[in-house]
Amino acid sequence: MARFADWFGKNADAVIALVLAIVVAVLGLGVNLPNETEITNSGILAVIGLLATSVLRDRGRRIPVEAEVRDTLRASSATLGELDAKLTRIEGFEGVLADTKRALDETTVVRVISGAQVAQVLAEARRDTDRWFFKGGTGTYIRARTLPECVAAARRERRTLLFRLEILDPTNVEVCEAYARHRRSVSDGPDATGEPWTLQRTRKEAYATILAACWHKQRFAMLDIDIGLAQTMTTLRYDLASSRVVVTRDDPRGEALVVDSAKFYYSWVSAELQTSLDQARRVPVEQARLAPLDDEPTVEEARKLFEVIGIDLAQGYTDRDVIEIIRKALRAKDPYE
């Protein structure tokens, strides 16, 4: 009963309108009642009044609902604005995390190795490499290991080999003397090759690297080699292969840095080495074909070679000095042994 009373209270106007509509319909069927016209008119007016009341009530109900909806929308808009700001902050935080992760990844790839591991790491770098960029002093290790072994692998696999070397200019006495003085300051005794560093040794080592490069070029046509002669010395040596770059110092027993080719620092070093080489005095290695070298070059052949490529031998060099340059070029001692 309570549910019916509640229902009737909410729908009274509709019930009354329905009853009046039935009464009017009955009158329209011809049922004779007293004052029929007045009753009909009154019923119609009552229905219209109820309809008007219903409309007003619905509008009254709709106004607070619309206000509530507007308030809800405003609150939702504010909430969405706060959410958007939070999402922006989250995206910024994620960017910081990504950059931090990348930085950590990069630093973990820069490996520090001991001097005892350098020879092994360089040997691994020589395997299957199609290029080698070097910047350093006189290139003793290049002659002893890197160049002959890389050429042998490329010849065996019938592929091209790219070599870029930047060494000291042997005709620049000042820079060669500065390099020899630096090496003596590190160790005043003989190095692993059994020789102390002097001006004459520095110049002969650089001459020998040039001779070795031309000798290998004449025997392997797919060797693309370029040599630049630096007018300033560096205390570091860079060896860049296709898989990694190894940065060492003059002391073979010292520590070294290794960076894999997938890391950004590798491309930085590659660009730096190329830029530095472009500024060095270039050796026209392609002219070496005008001075053929035997498997065991003679003194005359060596002198002719340096003449055609425009690199003057030091004044006063005897045949014995030239023979020593030839020996260093083709039978260099490994400084890591």
Side-chain angles (χ1 to χ4, degrees), residues 54-305:
S54 178
V55 170
L56 292 174
R57 188 182 63 177
D58 289 341
R59 288 180 179 177
R61 292 174 178 175
R62 187 164 58 246
I63 289 173
V65 171
E66 290 176 351
E68 183 180 354
V69 170
R70 283 196 300 270
D71 294 340
T72 302
L73 290 176
R74 280 195 293 266
S76 299
S77 178
T79 303
L80 288 175
E82 294 176 359
L83 180 60
D84 184 65
K86 291 180 180 179
L87 289 175
T88 302
R89 289 195 294 270
I90 291 173
E91 290 176 356
F93 182 68
E94 289 177 347
V96 172
L97 287 178
D99 292 341
T100 303
K101 182 178 182 299
R102 181 187 175 194
L104 290 174
D105 290 341
E106 296 292 350
T107 56
T108 56
V109 174
V110 180
R111 294 180 286 136
V112 180
I113 60 175
S114 65
Q117 298 174 292
V118 172
Q120 178 184 351
V121 171
L122 290 174
E124 293 172 354
R126 289 193 294 270
R127 295 192 190 121
D128 302 324
T129 187
D130 61 351
R131 74 201 65 178
W132 200 281
F133 284 24
F134 171 81
K135 178 180 178 179
T138 60
T140 304
Y141 189 78
I142 291 292
R143 299 190 312 271
R145 291 289 187 183
T146 307
L147 183 55
E149 291 185 12
C150 288
V151 167
R155 179 183 288 111
R156 184 172 55 253
E157 299 172 11
R158 300 179 181 275
R159 55 175 170 79
T160 58
L161 179 62
L162 177 66
F163 249 77
R164 298 289 182 263
L165 307 176
E166 184 179 349
I167 62 173
L168 297 177
D169 187 347
T171 66
N172 188 324
V173 177
E174 289 77 12
V175 71
C176 291
E177 176 61 41
Y179 183 78
R181 188 165 53 248
H182 166 71
R183 294 300 299 267
R184 289 195 303 270
S185 69
V186 175
S187 176
D188 55 1
D191 61 9
T193 65
E195 298 181 63
W197 280 97
T198 63
L199 170 62
Q200 290 303 320
R201 181 193 171 183
T202 302
R203 300 184 74 182
K204 289 178 180 178
E205 296 282 358
Y207 280 126
T209 299
I210 298 172
L211 178 60
C214 296
W215 187 87
H216 284 286
K217 173 63 177 176
Q218 290 184 7
R219 278 153 183 78
F220 185 51
M222 289 189 288
L223 171 62
D224 180 1
I225 191 165
D226 203 0
I227 304 176
L229 303 180
Q231 307 306 308
T232 57
M233 61 158 285
T234 176
T235 61
L236 299 177
R237 292 184 304 203
Y238 297 87
D239 286 276
L240 185 144
S242 58
S243 62
R244 71 202 71 183
V245 58
V246 183
V247 184
T248 57
R249 294 193 294 179
D250 297 319
D251 184 7
R253 296 165 297 180
E255 295 178 331
L257 301 178
V258 182
V259 181
D260 293 336
S261 60
K263 301 306 174 181
F264 72 92
Y265 186 65
Y266 176 91
S267 61
W268 286 9
V269 174
S270 179
E272 174 65 21
L273 294 180
Q274 185 61 55
T275 302
S276 180
L277 181 64
D278 291 341
Q279 300 176 68
R281 175 189 175 191
R282 185 175 180 275
V283 177
V285 179
E286 66 278 1
Q287 297 297 322
R289 67 180 185 277
L290 302 177
L293 298 171
D294 288 340
D295 291 343
E296 290 292 335
T298 64
V299 173
E300 291 75 17
E301 290 172 346
R303 289 186 181 276
K304 178 66 174 178
L305 172 72

Side-chain angles (χ1 to χ4, degrees), residues 7-8 11-21 50:
W7 176 85
F8 185 79
N11 301 280
D13 52 354
V15 172
I16 295 172
L18 178 61
V19 172
L20 290 175
L50 289 172

Side-chain angles (χ1 to χ4, degrees), residues 301-315:
E301 290 172 346
R303 289 186 181 276
K304 178 66 174 178
L305 172 72
F306 286 108
E307 179 183 345
V308 299
I309 64 176
I311 305 298
D312 297 330
L313 288 172
Q315 288 185 353

